[in-house]
Amino acid sequence: MAFCEIKSLHKSYFMDGKRIDVLRGVDLSIAEGEMLSLTGASGVGKSTFLHVLGTLDAPTDGNIRFDGRDVTSLTESELASFRNRTIGFVFQFHYLLPEFTAQENVMMPALIQRMDRAEAARRARELLDSVGLKDRADHKPGELSGGEQQRVALARALVLRPRLLLADEPTGNLDPSTGEGIHQVLRDLNQKLGIAAVVVTHNEALAQSMPRRLRLVDGHVLEVSAQHPAS
Amino acid sequence: MDVQPQTESPSAMPQPPPAVALAGGSPEPKTPRAVRPFSWLLFGGTLAGNFLAGLLVVALTPVLSVNLKLSPERSLVISATLALLVALGAGLLTAAKARKVGFWETLLSALIAGAGGTFALAQLLMQPFGSARLAMGDLFYLANLLGNPIGGIVLGAVVIGFTSFLGATLGYLLAGSGKVEASFEFELYVARRHLRLQNTRSVLIRFLRVTLFLPLLPLIRLIEKKRALEYGLGATKRSPTMLMTAISMGGVAVGVLALTVVLSVMSGFEADLKNKIIGTNAHAVVLKYGTEFKEWPEIAQKVREVRGVTGVTPFILNEVMISSDQNIGGALVKGIDPETVAQVANLPANMKEGRLDWLTHPESIPRVMPGAGEGGALDGTLHGAAPAGSASKDPAAPTEDDILKPKGAAPADPNANMPGVVLGKELAHSLKVMVGDRVNVVSPLGGELGPTGPMPKSRPFKVAGIFFSGMYEYDAKFAYIAIPEAQKFFGLGESVTGLELKTDDIDNTRQITKSILNAVDGYPYRTKDWGEMNKNLFSALRLEKLVMAVILAFIVLVACFNIVSTLIMMVLEKSKEIAILKSMGATDTSVMKIFVLEGLIIGLIGTVVGLILGYWACKFVEVVGIRLDAEVYYIDKLPVRIDGLQFAAVAFLAVLLSYLATIYPATRASRLPPVEGLRNE
């Protein structure tokens, strides 16, 4: 059952007066709990696609519907609330807030929602436990290793149980064995929580392990192994 | 399909996607969320608010002061407060609805309203018609203080426009996300982390270190550094932004310190002056139109019965010349009743030499100063000036003639016909006389009619005492004689000039004089209170203070620019964190709140530190004292008056300015597109 439908998504930039078309009509539907990999050459617009899909950036044209609601026409604050509840981001660089401990970082989306602090802390500890960082909860990001940081970022993305996880090369900055650990956690959480995920990666092994694989070429998304036909 | 998100759309409803097919023509690419269209709602709302506020001041002030008989100041304060609330409310509501701070909208509406208001009022001002003229007088109380009515209107327009902008920022902060979110808890949590202020105890310790041990701070630092080295910890790392934060706090603190100290000293001068004026003069006088005021005993009785009046005494005031053997000077001679004068003035307490009751008993006045020695007689007084502490510094002046004259006069006219006079210290100084000396009081109009008009009338008086009030004007101009002598001398019969009175509350004198006027049935009587009698002096003082405050407020303003640059640094440094927060669902207003709070915390800490340091500096001046040349200033040390209200006003100003300083950087932070911060380096 597809909950997210993307129709003829366009994104163009203007640079020095020249128009650069990054996305030229992307059509895609994502089903509940589905795991997708997205590959493509560097600079082809994978990150742009994730940003637009995650409503961090507005598309030039086209629309994105979540449960039939077009999110491209929402106001800024409606989008913020939408992101908070529906989307979880993991970036290539961990992007944790350096002033806060691991646990506080994981709590952050809940605090933005103005959830009770004790409840947020409980959830954060639970998630840190499930990514195997129970005893590192009170460390600041600077005191954690790269793999640990990325696990914290993953926990933070999932603390509010979003419906769609957008991961932008989550292991791109890690050595292969650490990266494999992250992949494992990612797969486990997907299984356990049933959160749909779009994982942008250069890692062929990771991409191969995904049930559905996409490739971004020339501003269009192509199915590599079409288990579900693209709409 | 064109589905540009309408970020500034006043309606919170998601717009249905237009059913237009994507006909190949991709619309003009724009960065939709960065564009903030001009909000006519905000512009119109603040414009209406500004006009309404201006109208409120103009219309309500005269109604309050004329119809409700409130004092002009109070009516202006009431209507101005209401007007500012209206402006604030208009800004707040429209900004919340428009979801925009709208600097340009509010600026434009303030300019239009201000220009329109100025023009309209200037027109009104040109046409003096009845009550409108009166109202203008009330309205421009402050403007009069500035000496320019148009300046007053412009000032009012600026204040109103400014208030509506303030309201707009508050409205956006509280409800800019589309629903009312008055909670700042999460934002405060983040802001404190950014400023490294999460640990209340360490903040308190640092705070106390600055406020209590400021002079010892370098020493403490040195010890800490040494200890850190001993434990091999090394100096703690400080980010440049943190350093700038500390400097910004220091800047605000210095501004607040300067403002509080200078204003306290000026208040001290004002209070000192007020004390001296009120001590020498009455709080109010009751006068009568016309010359005859024979019925004063009955009036005095009526006045005494008015609530709030604590003392009444009659007086006669006239200009005269006073001549001694050495010199001559103009003076105001005041006939007083030595029995009751103590009820209204500090004259008895101000007596430096001689006694006040010698006015009525001139026979008791010693022929020379006590202690100078009877045998020395007047020679001793004049030549041996030093022992009496007299101000006579011109020993060359007395001649044989001077010494002979009083000598000759004394036995011929032994105490009998010579009434006493009390002179001010400076007057006595310039006349070179002391207690027991003789002076001639000459009234230019007091005498009979001669062939060329009124003949000057002259009469000898004996110096019964010398007073020192501390006010040069009084000490150099005033001479006191007993009322019966004055009546005789000026040919007034039983009449007096008026009644002086003292009240139990000098700040309420105006009200009390009103009830006095009621008690004596108004005309032909009139009253004047101390404020009216010394209007010029106190307006000058107040203006001076205002100007000082404005000049010194610039220090705080500069300090606030420091806050602006620190926050901009902070925003740049934290652009990545801002993007992360937004990706997690923080709203623009939430991000704005974070940076507003950071600036406010900087301003607040700076203000509190400045207030404490200012209080200490004032206490230091008060307790230790800074000497002044008493000859020049008439005060021997710098006066200080610590006024809580003044401190509160300075604090309010500083916090308000630092709040405003946050608006620009915080708006920048809130508008930062998230993808900007997430772009990989």
Side-chain angles (χ1 to χ4, degrees), chain A residues 84-135:
Chain A
N84 185 249
R85 281 156 217 278
T86 317
I87 309 275
F89 283 100
V90 178
F91 302 102
Q92 178 177 4
F93 303 97
H94 60 82
Y95 285 156
L96 296 175
L97 302 174
E99 294 92 356
F100 296 87
T101 63
Q103 183 183 320
E104 287 164 341
N105 262 289
V106 177
M107 285 160 69
M108 205 50 77
L111 294 181
I112 287 172
Q113 212 183 61
R114 302 188 190 275
M115 187 188 280
D116 176 56
R117 196 160 307 171
E119 169 65 11
R122 194 189 60 73
R123 287 196 186 197
R125 274 196 304 274
E126 196 181 300
L127 263 164
L128 279 173
D129 195 14
S130 65
V131 297
L133 284 177
K134 200 176 180 180
D135 47 352

Side-chain angles (χ1 to χ4, degrees), chain B residues 59-70 131 134:
Chain B
L60 193 62
T61 311
V63 170
L64 288 177
S65 76
V66 177
N67 297 8
L68 293 179
K69 304 226 180 301
L70 293 174
S131 69
L134 182 73

Side-chain angles (χ1 to χ4, degrees), chain B residues 452-534:
Chain B
T452 54
M455 295 277 287
K457 186 175 180 183
S458 163
R459 191 163 178 203
F461 281 81
K462 195 150 59 169
V463 178
I466 289 169
F467 74 90
F468 174 67
S469 69
M471 277 284 289
Y472 182 85
E473 282 76 20
Y474 293 151
D475 293 341
K477 279 279 167 282
F478 270 95
Y480 293 102
I481 57 178
I483 280 227
E485 293 303 331
Q487 286 168 335
K488 237 188 283 171
F489 184 63
F490 297 115
L492 292 172
E494 289 298 304
S495 244
V496 295
T497 307
L499 299 170
E500 285 188 319
L501 56 101
K502 193 177 192 172
T503 61
D504 54 1
D505 177 11
I506 53 164
D507 296 316
N508 199 23
T509 308
R510 187 153 294 179
Q511 289 303 319
I512 295 172
T513 53
K514 270 185 191 160
S515 25
I516 289 172
L517 217 50
N518 282 338
V520 298
D521 302 326
Y523 188 84
Y525 304 103
R526 63 198 170 104
T527 56
K528 257 174 134 182
D529 62 43
W530 62 271
E532 289 170 277
M533 287 190 279
N534 301 284

